[in-house]
Amino acid sequence: MRSSVLFAVTLAQATAFAPPSSERVSTALSLFGAKKAAGAKSSPLAEEAVGIYNAKFAPRGGEKKKLFFESWGMPESYSNREVSEKSIFTREDAQLRATFNTIAALYGEEEALAMVKILPQALAFNKDYMAPSLDGFSDAFGLEESKEMVMRNPGLLG
C-alpha cells in the first residue's frame, strides 16, 4: 500500500517537470468526438466566397493617391522612398479557398458563406487559429453555443 502511494507521488512529480509538448493540447471536444477539419476537400461555395472577398478587397487599379498630410514634418528622403501598393488584405486565391474550407469544415458550408457575407475579411484570418479558437470557446460555452456565437460575430474566428 505504502509503495503504491510512493510510486504515484513519484510519477506525479516526474510528469510535472516534463518539457511542454509541441503538439496541440487535447480538449474536451476531442474526447467527445468533435469533427476534425479536412484540409484536402474543397467546398463548392469557396469560389463564391473568394469572389465576395475580392469584390471588396481586390486592387482597384490606377495610382494610389498620396494623402495631403503624409509629408508633414517628414524629411525629404522619406518622401522619396518606395511605398508598397499592397493592402494588408491582399491574399492569393488559393489561400482564401483554404481558409474558407477550414471555416466550412468547422461550421458547415452554408454557415461559412454566411459568415463571409457578414465579414469578408474573415478570409484573411490565419486558418491555423480557427480550430483552437473554437475548442477554447467550446470548453467555456459548449460546442453548439460557441458555433452560434461565432456565426453571429465572425470576428471571433481568428
Side-chain angles (χ1 to χ4, degrees), residues 54-141:
N54 286 333
K56 184 164 185 173
F57 296 110
R60 300 282 190 255
E63 259 184 58
K64 181 179 176 186
K65 291 184 179 180
K66 189 172 183 178
L67 299 173
F68 68 93
F69 58 83
E70 287 183 5
S71 63
W72 289 359
M74 302 305 286
E76 187 64 33
S77 62
Y78 179 80
S79 63
N80 293 335
R81 72 182 185 111
E82 289 183 30
V83 178
S84 174
E85 296 293 322
K86 287 186 168 184
S87 165
I88 60 171
F89 293 110
T90 301
R91 300 288 188 274
E92 297 293 324
D93 287 352
Q95 183 182 5
L96 296 173
R97 270 188 232 94
T99 303
F100 180 80
N101 290 332
T102 301
I103 298 169
L106 292 170
Y107 298 94
E109 292 180 0
E110 293 294 328
E111 291 81 4
L113 185 61
M115 285 191 269
V116 170
K117 287 179 180 178
I118 294 170
L119 189 74
Q121 55 267 42
L123 291 181
F125 294 168
N126 187 339
K127 66 182 175 73
D128 297 333
Y129 298 149
M130 292 179 181
S133 176
L134 179 61
D135 288 347
F137 287 136
S138 297
D139 285 345
F141 305 113

